[in-house]
Amino acid sequence: MFDAVETQVVVIGSGAGGAAIAGELCRHSIPTIVVEAGPQCTRPLGSHVRNRDPSEGGLSQYNDALNGALTFPSGGAGSGSAFRDFKVIHAVGGMLSYWTCNCPTPHVAERAPWITDAEWDSILDRARTLLGVGYDLGNGSVRQQRLIERVSMVVGREEAGRDVQPMPVAARRQGEQIRFASIENLLRVENVSNGPILHQDLICRQILHRSGRATGIIARPGVSGDDIAINAEVVVIAAGVAGTPKLIGGSRIDAGPALGAYLFDHPAIGSRVVLHRDILADVAADDPVFTVWIPYALGMPWHNQICRFPTNPTAIEYAAGPNETADIFTFCSMDVLEANRFNFDFDRLDPFGLPETVGAYALGAPDRGEVVHKGIAHPGEHKAIVDDELWSAVQAKLSSNLTRRRQARIESGAILGGLIFDDGGNRMSPTYTMRRGNRYRYYISPPHLQRKRKGSRPRISADDVERLIVEHLCRHQARNDLTADLTSGIWSAETRELILTVVDRVVIHHDQIEVRLKAKEAAPTPASARGDDKSESPNTISLPLPPARPRERKEIIVPSNFGTQARRVDQELILALARARSWMRALRQAEFVDTGEIAQRFRLSDAHVRRLLRFGYLAPILWRPSSKAASLAS
Ligand SMILES: Cc1cc2nc3c(=O)[nH]c(=O)nc-3n(C[C@H](O)[C@H](O)[C@H](O)COP(=O)(O)OP(=O)(O)OC[C@H]3O[C@@H](n4cnc5c(N)ncnc54)[C@H](O)[C@@H]3O)c2cc1C
């Protein structure tokens, strides 16, 4: 056992995100603990690695340090076959101890639209102030001045403020040397008695949460130490691009389908060139560093940087001194796709004890060496990064995965997939969550940004809606032969067939389900002819939906003949009773070897089956009064 540590805020990750938040909290005297999985590599705490030797000569040492620090997420031996080269840095300061400190201001077109422009401006200003970003690193550099003039003539710019200019850099000249910014700057808390408490080599393995609120974390010193708990009123997850979704997913926090999606890595093209002799003419040996920025502009959606990067993109084979060369980097924009994502494998854990991550990235025509103009692909001038053979193999695998996914959807029971919409006109997709080993299925509306209009019920229990519709259709279409499916909760091929042939569309309103039938199926059936059917038109059926339940709760059903007020009949409890009885009987008659076989057959967890089976031991008098239970069990 261990004693839990108490704090107001715990921040996971000491990179740019975590350190910026921790620093701000401490400046407001809010007790904060930062948990960092990696070690402290630099002194003072989290300072930039290049500050050890910021000279030209120190560049190769920096390169070596960077290559040594880059590791697979969670320190594993790989990051999944789909993301062979995906690496991160686990160290105090995260990537900000190694970054190149260039801070080009994003164009309005690059900013996320859910933050207002005024807010963006204030956030960017604050970040610039904290990191000490300035335009003056290349002040007095003859090469910089000449490069800006030359490049401006070629590029030409009409957009205000987006002209060729010195690059804003988070670094300051200190005498002859340059000091690069890092989390050292973000954590600086002058005039405050207590700074954040930073624990290095402490791996957060789980976010604790109760009733939809985070309450603390479980962390482990190194990969093999004993767990400790940190209780906190607020938990900030700033564990980087891979670590953050892994922790959320690994802690079984239902973050919806967006978790791990929209992953992007904007393409960067880098090269090293020798400067033209006109630019180098009469330049002094101690000419200051130059750093030039060609900003992203409408019609030219990329950023260019011309400077001396500390990382070496290409070797220059003939002799040229460092002062005679420049690096040109172009950072291109890219379409952000939901399909580009991390997927989490909860059956395989990484060395941090978190789910293994596999990346999926959609390739397009440019990756095959083609350019697309007006929908037609033409051979491009660039080289393909995937050859035809690999491309065809991937396409074949994708289409077989699609078939498998469809099959999995069929097997998972999502019989309304493709047919169900919310009342905002958005198609709802099947999904599920796992809680204590049980699988709960839902249909959900797309994420906020992809919705046409907000539907009044963005999430609905798949079991509830499917059961209501199947129950109704069995009556409407006089298909008593299918009612057994309602007991087992497993949809047979015949039930699926019925849905596909009869149902055109299902719309989820706030408190009712609208089932639109295909025209030829809307003819009156015996049930509707008798008037049992509450349909509004022959084509539409309205079914009442139970009001959205915030949480499940246990309930005792008391019949009215005990002198008490009758409560509603709990269909799920009755189903559980019926299942328990029939499974118990099947076990006795050796139809199933054990509960594991039942779990497999009904796609439930063994624990869930065992839990339900306890109902089978209830005295018959407790369940017999319900004629419904008796009929379901039979
Ligand atoms: C060589 C290089 C050059 C770059 N140059 C620039 C540049 O010029 N301009 C620019 O804007 N950006 C640049 N970047 C990118 C920039 O540095 C990053 O985008 C930024 O630092 C990311 O910060 P972060 O806090 O989101 O993540 P990270 O820096 O990845 O920090 C996350 C931290 O969380 C820790 N962590 C993860 N999981 C756990 C866990 N379970 N428990 C505890 N701790 C955990 C990690 O160890 C890590 O320290 C560069 C990056 C590199 C590597």
Side-chain angles (χ1 to χ4, degrees):
M1 272 311 280
F2 48 79
D3 290 330
V5 178
E6 307 284 331
T7 182
Q8 205 161 335
V9 183
V10 62
V11 177
I12 302 143
S14 68
I21 290 167
E24 290 290 68
L25 290 169
C26 289
R27 277 183 279 276
H28 287 84
S29 305
I30 297 174
T32 302
I33 292 180
V34 181
V35 171
E36 168 54 54
Q40 177 178 346
C41 302
T42 50
R43 270 169 224 291
L45 186 96
S47 53
H48 201 291
V49 174
R50 273 201 79 188
N51 291 341
R52 285 181 196 153
D53 181 359
S55 68
E56 278 284 341
L59 284 187
S60 68
Q61 286 169 35
Y62 164 81
N63 278 337
D64 295 345
L66 176 64
N67 287 328
L70 284 166
T71 166
F72 293 111
S74 305
S79 56
S81 53
F83 258 160
R84 272 198 314 257
D85 301 321
F86 179 74
K87 289 188 177 176
V88 296
I89 290 173
H90 289 301
V92 170
M95 293 203 268
L96 220 62
S97 295
Y98 295 82
W99 70 320
T100 28
C101 298
N102 290 322
C103 300
T105 312
H107 189 275
V108 176
E110 293 177 283
R111 298 174 179 182
W114 60 87
I115 298 177
T116 64
D117 274 345
E119 265 182 289
W120 264 118
D121 291 337
S122 113
I123 292 166
L124 289 167
D125 266 352
R126 183 76 186 125
R128 273 190 287 261
T129 309
L130 286 172
L131 288 168
V133 176
Y135 286 81
D136 51 0
L137 201 66
N139 271 3
S141 165
V142 175
R143 290 170 300 169
Q144 175 165 301
Q145 193 47 41
R146 289 178 180 167
L147 278 166
I148 289 177
E149 284 162 13
R150 285 293 185 98
V151 177
S152 298
M153 273 166 29
V154 179
V155 175
R157 268 297 150 89
E158 279 160 25
E159 262 188 272
R162 309 306 288 181
D163 45 341
V164 181
Q165 53 190 284
M167 167 69 76
V169 186
R172 285 259 167 266
R173 287 218 208 142
Q174 279 183 346
E176 295 291 289
Q177 302 228 306
I178 298 172
R179 186 152 189 97
F180 293 88
S182 70
I183 66 153
E184 186 194 6
N185 303 56
L186 300 175
L187 292 177
R188 201 167 290 146
V189 280
E190 278 131 13
N191 309 323
V192 172
S193 50
N194 290 322
I197 300 168
L198 197 149
H199 292 284
Q200 53 175 305
D201 286 317
L202 191 60
I203 298 165
C204 175
R205 295 155 49 77
Q206 202 189 341
I207 313 295
L208 302 171
H209 53 100
R210 208 173 35 237
S211 311
R213 268 193 76 88
T215 56
I217 65 165
I218 298 283
R220 183 174 280 188
V223 288
S224 55
D226 290 333
D227 282 347
I228 58 161
I230 301 180
N231 295 334
E233 286 167 36
V234 175
V235 177
V236 177
I237 313 175
V241 68
T244 296
K246 256 172 183 266
L247 255 178
I248 296 174
S251 307
R252 309 284 172 163
I253 294 173
D254 180 5
L259 184 69
Y262 303 102
L263 183 66
F264 77 100
D265 179 18
H266 54 168
I269 305 158
S271 56
R272 177 161 290 175
V273 298
V274 178
L275 291 169
H276 195 276
R277 57 182 173 283
D278 291 354
I279 301 223
L280 292 174
D282 305 321
V283 166
D286 60 354
D287 189 46
V289 289
F290 60 90
T291 161
V292 175
W293 175 35
I294 312 169
Y296 178 111
L298 293 179
M300 289 190 185
W302 52 81
H303 288 264
N304 273 102
Q305 305 176 354
I306 308 174
C307 47
R308 283 285 285 120
F309 266 85
T311 44
N312 186 350
T314 49
I316 292 192
E317 303 208 335
Y318 49 89
N323 278 358
E324 296 166 343
T325 63
D327 298 332
I328 305 178
F329 265 77
T330 305
F331 293 88
C332 310
S333 61
M334 68 173 278
D335 292 333
V336 184
L337 304 177
E338 187 186 356
N340 290 346
R341 63 178 305 130
F342 287 132
N343 294 308
F344 304 100
D345 185 343
F346 291 93
D347 294 330
R348 287 191 306 143
L349 297 187
D350 66 20
F352 280 14
L354 296 169
E356 269 297 356
T357 310
V358 180
Y361 227 70
L363 296 178
D367 304 303
R368 303 182 67 190
E370 293 174 342
V371 281
V372 180
H373 181 60
K374 293 192 174 166
I376 300 168
H378 305 275
E381 288 182 7
H382 63 288
K383 241 169 104 182
I385 61 165
V386 276
D387 57 36
D388 276 349
E389 199 182 329
L390 179 60
W391 179 267
S392 310
V394 170
Q395 296 311 311
K397 181 140 197 194
L398 281 177
S399 57
S400 88
N401 283 352
L402 191 68
T403 319
R404 224 177 304 139
R405 269 206 305 276
R406 282 202 187 120
Q407 184 62 26
R409 180 180 288 182
I410 289 169
E411 285 168 5
S412 78
I415 46 174
L416 299 175
L419 298 173
I420 184 164
F421 293 76
D422 65 23
D423 54 0
N426 311 293
R427 189 189 293 271
M428 300 177 87
S429 340
T431 185
Y432 68 91
T433 57
M434 300 292 294
R435 257 177 283 145
R436 284 178 297 211
N438 299 328
R439 197 171 139 118
Y440 296 87
R441 297 190 305 112
Y442 300 95
Y443 290 102
I444 52 162
S445 301
H448 174 62
L449 280 177
Q450 287 170 24
R451 280 184 211 152
K452 291 181 185 153
R453 239 174 354 103
K454 190 170 179 287
S456 45
R457 253 174 115 152
R459 179 168 107 149
I460 185 154
S461 153
D463 286 329
D464 283 357
V465 70
E466 287 168 2
R467 194 170 305 134
L468 276 165
I469 293 176
V470 172
E471 210 169 34
H472 185 87
L473 288 182
C474 285
R475 264 187 287 126
H476 186 267
Q477 301 286 314
R479 292 291 304 267
N480 292 340
D481 55 315
L482 299 181
T483 45
D485 280 14
L486 291 164
T487 317
S488 68
I490 305 276
W491 305 127
S492 61
E494 290 76 25
T495 301
R496 288 171 198 292
E497 189 65 32
L498 174 71
I499 296 276
L500 285 176
T501 46
V502 173
V503 178
D504 181 44
R505 194 180 176 102
V506 174
V507 182
I508 302 299
H509 296 273
H510 176 63
D511 54 0
Q512 64 170 21
I513 311 170
E514 180 189 336
V515 185
R516 295 186 199 157
L517 302 182
K518 292 187 174 157
K520 66 180 169 52
E521 304 297 339
T525 60
S528 53
R530 278 196 308 274
D532 303 350
D533 199 334
K534 306 266 184 308
S535 309
E536 281 151 8
S537 80
N539 270 352
T540 310
I541 300 166
S542 294
L543 302 173
L545 252 182
R549 274 171 289 162
R551 279 200 303 136
E552 297 287 345
R553 64 192 179 89
K554 294 197 174 84
E555 195 179 4
I556 299 168
I557 302 171
V558 189
S560 55
N561 56 0
F562 281 73
T564 50
Q565 203 185 357
R567 302 256 180 88
R568 75 178 172 84
V569 173
D570 188 323
Q571 301 286 352
E572 271 157 49
L573 182 60
I574 289 175
L575 177 67
L577 282 167
R579 278 182 156 173
R581 300 280 305 175
S582 67
W583 290 343
M584 194 70 100
R585 197 180 48 238
L587 279 170
R588 285 205 194 99
Q589 291 170 359
E591 286 170 28
F592 294 110
V593 180
D594 55 17
T595 52
E597 203 176 303
I598 299 178
Q600 207 177 5
R601 162 79 175 78
F602 291 94
R603 295 183 185 283
L604 297 167
S605 72
D606 191 31
H608 186 60
V609 170
R610 282 166 188 272
R611 219 171 8 248
L612 286 198
L613 265 178
R614 290 185 206 145
F615 286 125
Y617 294 105
L618 283 177
I621 192 159
L622 289 179
W623 61 275
R624 230 178 241 150
S626 161
S627 57
K628 179 111 181 177
S631 79
L632 280 172
S634 71

